[in-house]
Amino acid sequence: MDVKDLKTYFYLDDQKVARAVDDVDLTVNAGETVALVGESGSGKSITSLSIMQLINKPGKIVDGTISLLGQNLLNLSDKQMTKVRGNDVAMIFQEPMTALNPVYTIGNQISEVLRKHKKMNKKQARRRAIELLKMVGFPRAEDTFDEYPHQLSGGMRQRAMIAIAISCEPKLLIADEPTTALDVTIQAQIIDLMNEMKEKLDMALLLITHDLGVVAEYADRVLVMYGGQIVEEAPKKRLFKESKHPYTSGLMESLPSIYKEEERLGTIRGTVPPAHSFPKGCRFSSRCPHAMDQCFESNPDLIQLDHEHSVRCYLYTDE
Amino acid sequence: MYKYIIRRILIFIPMLFALSVVVFALSKAAPGDPFTTMLDPNIDRSVFEERKEALGLNDPIPVQYFRWVSSAVQGDFGESIVYNQRPVMDLIKVRFWNTIYLGIVALFFTLIVAIPIGIYSARNPYSLLDYGATGFSFLGLAIPNFFFGLLAIYFLSIQFGWFPAQGTVSGTDVSGLEEFIDRIHHMILPGITLGLAGTATYMRYMRSEVLDVLGSDYIRTAKAKGMSDRNVLYKHTLRNALIPIITLMGFEFGVLIGGAVITEQVFNYPGLGTLFLDAIINRDYPIVMALALIFGIFILVGNLLADIFYSVVDPRIRYD
Ligand SMILES: Nc1ncnc2c1ncn2[C@@H]1O[C@H](COP(=O)(O)OP(=O)(O)OP(=O)(O)O)[C@@H](O)[C@H]1O
Ligand code: SF4
Ligand SMILES: [Mg+2]
């Protein structure tokens, strides 16, 4: 999947425009795990919802292309898009407690996807749904099929969500902070399960997370997002070893390390400015420890350091 | 689920008992006795005392209560004092179905208007029709029942002559389908009048419920699964949005009965409401007691139905 120049703006009541996603380029190759990291409010969720075209008013995808296997999803009609969602691209959300419809059984909610996209009849869908439930770790899958979401724990519901997401063997799975709402002990199991399914079904995975530990373990490539833009992109190893952008470095310093004995963890002072009033120059300039005059004048472009590492910062431009 | 329903029905029995006690106690607490209105100064007081003794009105209260309840259970509410001593049950029977039909027309009107418009408003908030519906709701709630009824009679039946202004049928010479249509024709104005406040209320509820559900995570999930707009609306949204509405419907029974008392009066419609009002004015206690009991039962049954229906649509409460 290739996303180019994606812009998603929210048109707020008072004439302000929140540029929640502004010129994002993002590529996820077949079978690859790409992590998208960044603070709250940096635009990660809006990016992923844009890919699914699930942006609600007052938001709007203003510009860009989203190509999946050579087809620009933004040119599809609403009806054609329903054939892509859940089928070619599937998504898992942060809140398992509320992501399932409380009045239908788990089985019903898995079956309806199979019946829609795979044109299965009721019986086939049931059989397949039970297989899927077994795959994601429900030992009594036949019983679970007829159970309601409120009968399952958060972790179990997230497993059910995974079963729904992988039911049509999508080419791309987007997981938006799939474990943030879960107990720490269960987080690892869920991430492991997603990774296992990814390998088994040969899907690409776009993993949105706050957890750099997860990034370190599972990602192939990492995109760092700030203020609606990608500020750094690199293969995982290089990003951890030689991060370039001051924001990325800030994130790294906020990680506890077993190698260094530190008095206290680093923090980045301040918070992400609201998307309707970014500073005039570099969007990080209000918090950047290295900010120069130039940084307050104009926003740097994303420049390629080499074929696999790019960064958006004046510290790395030639002049 | 069946366990829940059975338990719910069992609770119904003590509530019914409590209701009968309250109705009986109120009638006892009311001043005077059935002879107060028959008072004839030429008759010696001792005659009344004899009659009272014969009717058991001097027996201990619990004995009187059980006598009343045990005949009420058999459908015998005694005799009317005013209407030529006719059995109360006969008077009620004639009017019972009239009121039920009126209630059904009102409820039907409420549902077919409030639900679609509520859904439309939620899907197109701040559209012209949404503003229109909001305005209508405020008017519908602000205008008293009887006033709307009078307006309707003045314009729609007197000025335009579209609907009859009173009664249930035009004459006795119609039958079959013709009679059915005639009866419906008679019920439209009182039905709409009776259903107006409910329509206004449910429109608002429906709008806010649908709006709520449309913004919920599971609707986003349904869309992310590739479900069509139709499926998202009819399968995933409606059932959830209707859950609170259904609970309110149970109470609507009581509201409709209360409204029927006034609406029937305005349209001179021969239902339980008119009977009730007349009986109160005439101190016809046997009728008042019977109707108070029947209205109470309506409300209890309404709540029972709401609870049962609720447990059918919302799986979360079956096991709690
Ligand atoms: N409905 C909306 N109306 C206006 N602005 C919005 C709306 N939704 C999102 N935004 C803006 O978009 C920006 C990005 O939000 P987004 O949810 O993508 O952040 P995120 O990176 O996913 O954060 P988190 O880690 O908390 O999930 C926010 O700063 C917010 O100002
Ligand atoms: S461009 Fe300037 S302000 Fe922005 S990150 Fe680089 S050094 Fe900091
Ligand atoms: Mg988010």
Side-chain angles (χ1 to χ4, degrees), chain B residues 184-215:
Chain B
I184 296 280
H185 195 203
H186 276 81
M187 277 189 287
I188 290 179
L189 280 194
I192 290 179
T193 306
L194 182 55
L196 184 71
T199 308
T201 319
Y202 286 100
M203 213 184 262
R204 301 308 294 165
Y205 272 122
M206 200 61 202
R207 179 185 188 273
S208 76
E209 286 305 328
V210 171
L211 216 49
D212 242 31
V213 173
L214 283 178

Short mmCIF file of all heavy atoms in Angstrom, two decimals, chain B residues 184-215:
data_model
loop_
_atom_site.label_atom_id
_atom_site.label_comp_id
_atom_site.label_asym_id
_atom_site.label_seq_id
_atom_site.Cartn_x
_atom_site.Cartn_y
_atom_site.Cartn_z
N ILE B 184 -62.32 3.65 11.66
CA ILE B 184 -60.97 4.21 11.58
C ILE B 184 -61.06 5.72 11.33
O ILE B 184 -60.38 6.52 11.97
CB ILE B 184 -60.17 3.55 10.43
CG1 ILE B 184 -59.97 2.06 10.70
CG2 ILE B 184 -58.82 4.26 10.24
CD1 ILE B 184 -58.87 1.72 11.66
N HIS B 185 -61.91 6.10 10.41
CA HIS B 185 -62.09 7.50 10.07
C HIS B 185 -62.43 8.32 11.31
O HIS B 185 -61.94 9.43 11.50
CB HIS B 185 -63.22 7.59 9.02
CG HIS B 185 -63.27 8.92 8.33
ND1 HIS B 185 -64.40 9.41 7.73
CD2 HIS B 185 -62.33 9.87 8.14
CE1 HIS B 185 -64.14 10.59 7.22
NE2 HIS B 185 -62.89 10.90 7.44
N HIS B 186 -63.27 7.74 12.17
CA HIS B 186 -63.64 8.43 13.40
C HIS B 186 -62.50 8.51 14.40
O HIS B 186 -62.48 9.39 15.25
CB HIS B 186 -64.83 7.72 14.07
CG HIS B 186 -66.16 8.14 13.53
ND1 HIS B 186 -66.68 7.63 12.36
CD2 HIS B 186 -67.07 9.05 13.98
CE1 HIS B 186 -67.85 8.18 12.13
NE2 HIS B 186 -68.12 9.04 13.09
N MET B 187 -61.62 7.55 14.31
CA MET B 187 -60.57 7.50 15.34
C MET B 187 -59.35 8.35 14.99
O MET B 187 -58.50 8.58 15.84
CB MET B 187 -60.13 6.05 15.56
CG MET B 187 -61.06 5.32 16.51
SD MET B 187 -60.41 3.72 16.98
CE MET B 187 -60.62 2.77 15.52
N ILE B 188 -59.25 8.79 13.72
CA ILE B 188 -58.02 9.47 13.32
C ILE B 188 -57.77 10.75 14.13
O ILE B 188 -56.71 10.90 14.74
CB ILE B 188 -58.02 9.76 11.80
CG1 ILE B 188 -57.87 8.41 11.09
CG2 ILE B 188 -56.88 10.69 11.42
CD1 ILE B 188 -57.87 8.50 9.59
N LEU B 189 -58.74 11.64 14.19
CA LEU B 189 -58.50 12.88 14.93
C LEU B 189 -58.22 12.65 16.42
O LEU B 189 -57.21 13.13 16.93
CB LEU B 189 -59.67 13.86 14.77
CG LEU B 189 -59.71 14.67 13.47
CD1 LEU B 189 -60.70 15.81 13.61
CD2 LEU B 189 -58.35 15.19 13.09
N PRO B 190 -59.10 11.90 17.12
CA PRO B 190 -58.76 11.68 18.54
C PRO B 190 -57.44 10.92 18.70
O PRO B 190 -56.68 11.20 19.63
CB PRO B 190 -59.94 10.87 19.08
CG PRO B 190 -60.75 10.47 17.92
CD PRO B 190 -60.43 11.37 16.78
N GLY B 191 -57.17 10.00 17.77
CA GLY B 191 -55.92 9.23 17.86
C GLY B 191 -54.71 10.14 17.75
O GLY B 191 -53.77 10.07 18.55
N ILE B 192 -54.74 11.03 16.75
CA ILE B 192 -53.61 11.95 16.58
C ILE B 192 -53.50 12.88 17.78
O ILE B 192 -52.41 13.14 18.29
CB ILE B 192 -53.76 12.75 15.27
CG1 ILE B 192 -53.57 11.81 14.08
CG2 ILE B 192 -52.77 13.89 15.21
CD1 ILE B 192 -53.72 12.47 12.73
N THR B 193 -54.63 13.36 18.25
CA THR B 193 -54.62 14.25 19.41
C THR B 193 -53.98 13.55 20.61
O THR B 193 -53.13 14.10 21.30
CB THR B 193 -56.06 14.67 19.77
OG1 THR B 193 -56.67 15.21 18.61
CG2 THR B 193 -56.06 15.68 20.89
N LEU B 194 -54.42 12.32 20.82
CA LEU B 194 -53.90 11.57 21.97
C LEU B 194 -52.41 11.25 21.80
O LEU B 194 -51.66 11.26 22.76
CB LEU B 194 -54.71 10.26 22.12
CG LEU B 194 -54.36 9.35 23.28
CD1 LEU B 194 -54.45 10.10 24.59
CD2 LEU B 194 -55.32 8.16 23.29
N GLY B 195 -52.00 11.01 20.54
CA GLY B 195 -50.61 10.61 20.31
C GLY B 195 -49.65 11.77 20.15
O GLY B 195 -48.44 11.57 20.08
N LEU B 196 -50.17 12.97 20.11
CA LEU B 196 -49.32 14.12 19.76
C LEU B 196 -48.13 14.31 20.70
O LEU B 196 -46.99 14.39 20.28
CB LEU B 196 -50.17 15.40 19.75
CG LEU B 196 -49.39 16.64 19.30
CD1 LEU B 196 -49.09 16.57 17.83
CD2 LEU B 196 -50.17 17.90 19.64
N ALA B 197 -48.42 14.35 22.00
CA ALA B 197 -47.34 14.60 22.95
C ALA B 197 -46.30 13.49 22.87
O ALA B 197 -45.09 13.74 22.87
CB ALA B 197 -47.89 14.72 24.36
N GLY B 198 -46.80 12.24 22.77
CA GLY B 198 -45.88 11.11 22.66
C GLY B 198 -45.03 11.21 21.40
O GLY B 198 -43.82 10.98 21.44
N THR B 199 -45.64 11.60 20.30
CA THR B 199 -44.90 11.74 19.05
C THR B 199 -43.77 12.74 19.22
O THR B 199 -42.63 12.47 18.84
CB THR B 199 -45.85 12.21 17.93
OG1 THR B 199 -46.97 11.35 17.90
CG2 THR B 199 -45.16 12.19 16.58
N ALA B 200 -44.10 13.87 19.81
CA ALA B 200 -43.09 14.91 20.02
C ALA B 200 -41.95 14.38 20.89
O ALA B 200 -40.78 14.55 20.58
CB ALA B 200 -43.73 16.13 20.66
N THR B 201 -42.30 13.68 21.97
CA THR B 201 -41.27 13.17 22.88
C THR B 201 -40.40 12.12 22.20
O THR B 201 -39.17 12.19 22.24
CB THR B 201 -41.94 12.51 24.10
OG1 THR B 201 -43.03 13.30 24.51
CG2 THR B 201 -40.95 12.35 25.23
N TYR B 202 -41.06 11.15 21.56
CA TYR B 202 -40.28 10.05 20.98
C TYR B 202 -39.42 10.49 19.82
O TYR B 202 -38.36 9.92 19.58
CB TYR B 202 -41.20 8.90 20.56
CG TYR B 202 -41.68 8.17 21.78
CD1 TYR B 202 -42.93 8.40 22.31
CD2 TYR B 202 -40.81 7.31 22.45
CE1 TYR B 202 -43.34 7.78 23.46
CE2 TYR B 202 -41.21 6.69 23.60
CZ TYR B 202 -42.47 6.93 24.11
OH TYR B 202 -42.85 6.32 25.26
N MET B 203 -39.85 11.52 19.12
CA MET B 203 -39.03 12.06 18.04
C MET B 203 -37.70 12.54 18.59
O MET B 203 -36.65 12.27 18.05
CB MET B 203 -39.80 13.23 17.42
CG MET B 203 -39.59 13.41 15.96
SD MET B 203 -40.49 14.89 15.49
CE MET B 203 -41.97 14.18 14.88
N ARG B 204 -37.80 13.25 19.72
CA ARG B 204 -36.56 13.78 20.32
C ARG B 204 -35.69 12.64 20.84
O ARG B 204 -34.48 12.62 20.65
CB ARG B 204 -36.88 14.73 21.49
CG ARG B 204 -37.71 15.93 21.14
CD ARG B 204 -37.15 16.69 19.99
NE ARG B 204 -35.87 17.33 20.27
CZ ARG B 204 -35.08 17.80 19.32
NH1 ARG B 204 -35.40 17.71 18.06
NH2 ARG B 204 -33.94 18.37 19.63
N TYR B 205 -36.33 11.69 21.53
CA TYR B 205 -35.57 10.55 22.06
C TYR B 205 -34.88 9.80 20.94
O TYR B 205 -33.70 9.46 21.02
CB TYR B 205 -36.50 9.58 22.79
CG TYR B 205 -36.69 9.94 24.24
CD1 TYR B 205 -37.94 10.19 24.76
CD2 TYR B 205 -35.59 10.01 25.09
CE1 TYR B 205 -38.12 10.52 26.08
CE2 TYR B 205 -35.76 10.34 26.41
CZ TYR B 205 -37.02 10.60 26.91
OH TYR B 205 -37.19 10.92 28.21
N MET B 206 -35.65 9.53 19.89
CA MET B 206 -35.12 8.75 18.78
C MET B 206 -33.93 9.47 18.17
O MET B 206 -32.90 8.86 17.90
CB MET B 206 -36.24 8.56 17.74
CG MET B 206 -36.02 7.40 16.80
SD MET B 206 -35.92 5.86 17.70
CE MET B 206 -35.04 4.89 16.49
N ARG B 207 -34.06 10.77 17.98
CA ARG B 207 -32.98 11.53 17.39
C ARG B 207 -31.72 11.40 18.23
O ARG B 207 -30.65 11.08 17.74
CB ARG B 207 -33.37 13.00 17.27
CG ARG B 207 -32.28 13.89 16.68
CD ARG B 207 -32.71 15.35 16.72
NE ARG B 207 -31.79 16.22 15.99
CZ ARG B 207 -30.70 16.76 16.53
NH1 ARG B 207 -30.39 16.50 17.79
NH2 ARG B 207 -29.91 17.54 15.82
N SER B 208 -31.87 11.61 19.54
CA SER B 208 -30.66 11.62 20.36
C SER B 208 -30.09 10.21 20.51
O SER B 208 -28.87 10.02 20.53
CB SER B 208 -30.91 12.28 21.71
OG SER B 208 -31.61 11.41 22.55
N GLU B 209 -30.95 9.20 20.57
CA GLU B 209 -30.44 7.83 20.66
C GLU B 209 -29.67 7.43 19.40
O GLU B 209 -28.58 6.89 19.49
CB GLU B 209 -31.60 6.84 20.87
CG GLU B 209 -32.20 6.86 22.26
CD GLU B 209 -31.19 6.63 23.36
OE1 GLU B 209 -30.21 5.90 23.14
OE2 GLU B 209 -31.35 7.22 24.43
N VAL B 210 -30.28 7.70 18.26
CA VAL B 210 -29.61 7.32 17.00
C VAL B 210 -28.30 8.07 16.85
O VAL B 210 -27.28 7.50 16.47
CB VAL B 210 -30.54 7.56 15.79
CG1 VAL B 210 -29.78 7.37 14.48
CG2 VAL B 210 -31.72 6.61 15.83
N LEU B 211 -28.32 9.35 17.20
CA LEU B 211 -27.11 10.15 17.11
C LEU B 211 -26.02 9.55 18.00
O LEU B 211 -24.86 9.44 17.60
CB LEU B 211 -27.44 11.58 17.56
CG LEU B 211 -26.74 12.73 16.84
CD1 LEU B 211 -26.82 12.61 15.35
CD2 LEU B 211 -27.35 14.05 17.29
N ASP B 212 -26.42 9.16 19.20
CA ASP B 212 -25.51 8.52 20.14
C ASP B 212 -24.90 7.25 19.57
O ASP B 212 -23.69 7.05 19.59
CB ASP B 212 -26.32 8.11 21.38
CG ASP B 212 -25.83 8.81 22.61
OD1 ASP B 212 -25.34 9.95 22.45
OD2 ASP B 212 -25.94 8.22 23.69
N VAL B 213 -25.78 6.39 19.09
CA VAL B 213 -25.33 5.10 18.58
C VAL B 213 -24.45 5.29 17.35
O VAL B 213 -23.41 4.63 17.22
CB VAL B 213 -26.53 4.18 18.25
CG1 VAL B 213 -26.07 2.92 17.57
CG2 VAL B 213 -27.31 3.85 19.51
N LEU B 214 -24.82 6.22 16.47
CA LEU B 214 -24.01 6.42 15.26
C LEU B 214 -22.59 6.84 15.59
O LEU B 214 -21.67 6.57 14.84
CB LEU B 214 -24.66 7.48 14.35
CG LEU B 214 -25.87 7.01 13.55
CD1 LEU B 214 -26.45 8.15 12.73
CD2 LEU B 214 -25.50 5.85 12.63
N GLY B 215 -22.41 7.50 16.74
CA GLY B 215 -21.07 7.91 17.11
C GLY B 215 -20.31 6.86 17.91
O GLY B 215 -19.20 7.10 18.35
#
